[in-house]
Amino acid sequence: MAYINTKLENGAIWYDTDGNIIHAHGGHMLFRNGFYYWYGENRTNGNYVGCYRSSDLMNWEFRNNVLTINSQNQPIRIRTDLSLKNEKNSNGKINLERPKVLFNEKTNKYVLWAHYENGTDYSCAACAIATCDTPDGDFIYHGSFNPFGYMSRDCTLYQDCSGMAYFISAARDNADLHVYRLTEDYMNAECLVHKLWQGEYREAPAVFRREDKYYMFSSYCTGWAPNQGKYAASDGMENRWSILLNIGDETTYRTQPAFFLTVSGTKTTSYIYVSDRWDGKDYNNSRYVFLPVNFDETGEPAMNYCENFAIDVSTGEFRILC
Ligand code: GAL
């Protein structure tokens, strides 16, 4: 193989195993059958969502653009908007942001949720769904909608160990963060279980679990510009969440959360904050920053910056390198 990474540099351009720039912005990872699948925004050409895979979390093989302007569609209920094109825009595209994918054990489907906008402005504030029988095949688009009529912008998915899954998204012009429990097939919001941090304008939510505690990191709402990250903790997705506390520095090291990666190995379990370092002027020049989250004895998380790192999937270690 021509390109083998033994270390990765935060904020540098990262290449896939073909030597092409990795476009998986605002993304998510799913571990299936020995591979980590990395999904994210790819705004080049007619693409919406790119998919890469890796067995070592260091070297990424491009698999497919799983959602594009030409993806097939299939309605799943009335009054969903099935369009993936907008002729009013010079590139003919809509916007699909922050794509997240879960595997549903009951239906054997890979289910993708994302934030949908018309590509001109942010007035649609909707979510969108797509599915596939394989992790990296051509996903079928099932359209966009407003869950229970609410606005829905920055979003994430979280799957609990019981298989219960949640869609979390910014509502009321980003003022409140909603948590929806998903239906058994993950194809709809079953109920709204929380309206969190009303009036706090939280964006870019990302959730993980460590031992019996759930953590949610998020950013404040300042567009592409980074700001002070905050976190909250809970005993369960549907239980009470704590107030928001600062994490990282005043710009969260010039990042915004994308998702968390948990790597368990023979020596340790690492909790890795995966984030975007956006380039607001030149979107396709946006970069990735992976940082380890450390915990004190009471379970409070802390995060420092590091430049170069390597992940060892067998030991579970996140190694900070010079
Ligand atoms: C950010 C958001 C991104 C994108 C951007 C557009 O706040 O997290 O996903 O929507 O705004 O300005």
Side-chain angles (χ1 to χ4, degrees):
M1 212 159 39
Y3 301 90
I4 293 180
N5 296 317
T6 51
K7 71 174 180 185
L8 288 170
E9 183 185 344
N10 277 324
I13 298 178
W14 291 3
Y15 298 93
D16 66 17
T17 51
D18 295 324
N20 296 315
I21 293 174
I22 296 179
H23 287 296
H25 311 285
H28 197 220
M29 275 185 204
L30 179 68
F31 185 71
R32 286 288 296 165
N33 306 326
F35 288 103
Y36 293 89
Y37 289 86
W38 187 2
Y39 303 90
E41 295 169 31
N42 179 355
R43 299 197 186 188
T44 63
N45 308 315
N47 302 314
Y48 289 126
V49 180
C51 175
Y52 300 80
R53 80 174 184 188
S54 173
S55 51
D56 64 4
L57 290 168
M58 299 291 292
N59 296 285
W60 293 94
E61 176 197 358
F62 172 73
R63 297 294 294 168
N64 191 14
N65 285 308
V66 298
L67 266 181
T68 73
I69 201 162
N70 296 316
S71 290
Q72 301 292 307
N73 67 47
Q74 193 180 65
I76 46 165
R77 68 181 71 88
I78 52 168
R79 294 195 186 194
T80 45
D81 175 0
L82 285 171
S83 66
L84 280 166
K85 293 181 182 163
N86 185 348
E87 306 305 341
K88 288 194 196 127
N89 298 325
S90 53
N91 61 6
K93 292 175 76 180
I94 54 108
N95 254 354
L96 283 180
E97 297 188 347
R98 300 188 173 273
K100 315 289 169 193
V101 179
L102 297 180
F103 177 68
N104 187 289
E105 297 277 352
K106 291 212 161 87
T107 60
N108 274 314
K109 295 265 186 204
Y110 293 83
V111 186
L112 180 152
W113 285 63
H115 169 197
Y116 169 94
E117 296 290 355
N118 60 20
T120 309
D121 55 35
Y122 279 79
S123 60
C124 293
C127 58
I129 306 183
T131 58
C132 193
D133 292 333
T134 58
D136 47 10
D138 295 336
F139 276 60
I140 295 174
Y141 188 60
H142 301 300
S144 61
F145 62 97
N146 294 93
F148 298 110
Y150 287 111
M151 294 173 88
S152 181
R153 291 206 182 106
D154 271 19
C155 63
T156 196
L157 283 176
Y158 180 74
Q159 187 179 40
D160 220 335
C161 40
S162 60
M164 198 87 94
Y166 298 88
F167 178 67
I168 299 149
S169 74
R172 196 162 65 94
D173 262 320
N174 305 333
D176 313 330
L177 196 63
H178 284 188
V179 179
Y180 304 92
R181 187 200 301 143
L182 298 188
T183 51
E184 275 186 316
D185 58 5
Y186 301 171
M187 298 294 281
N188 204 351
E190 179 174 276
C191 67
L192 174 62
V193 297
H194 274 304
K195 290 184 178 188
L196 296 175
W197 308 303
Q198 89 79 34
E200 301 269 8
Y201 290 85
R202 304 313 297 169
E203 286 200 325
V207 178
F208 66 101
R209 181 182 171 169
R210 176 181 174 265
E211 294 165 6
D212 291 331
K213 223 165 167 175
Y214 295 74
Y215 298 84
M216 196 185 309
F217 283 35
S218 59
S219 74
Y220 181 52
C221 174
T222 51
W224 299 117
N227 55 58
Q228 172 73 64
K230 292 186 188 277
Y231 75 94
S234 176
D235 297 332
M237 287 302 292
E238 301 194 26
N239 297 4
R240 184 178 207 184
W241 282 84
S242 72
I243 57 164
L244 296 158
L245 295 167
N246 287 353
I247 187 91
D249 71 1
E250 66 277 9
T251 62
T252 327
Y253 313 112
R254 292 189 290 131
T255 71
Q256 197 181 21
F259 64 95
F260 282 93
L261 179 59
T262 303
V263 187
S264 289
T266 50
K267 284 197 184 149
T268 189
T269 298
S270 291
Y271 300 87
I272 304 169
Y273 166 82
V274 180
S275 63
D276 296 289
R277 181 170 283 166
W278 298 114
D279 184 336
K281 293 199 178 72
D282 178 6
Y283 171 90
N284 286 325
N285 189 38
S286 298
R287 311 288 173 84
Y288 313 102
V289 172
F290 285 39
L291 298 174
V293 183
N294 298 308
F295 300 85
D296 70 13
E297 51 298 334
T298 65
E300 293 312 309
M303 207 166 65
N304 293 310
Y305 195 66
C306 73
E307 204 114 312
N308 297 299
F309 68 91
I311 299 170
D312 185 332
V313 289
S314 61
T315 61
E317 290 166 302
F318 184 101
R319 294 204 184 103
I320 295 172
L321 308 169
C322 339

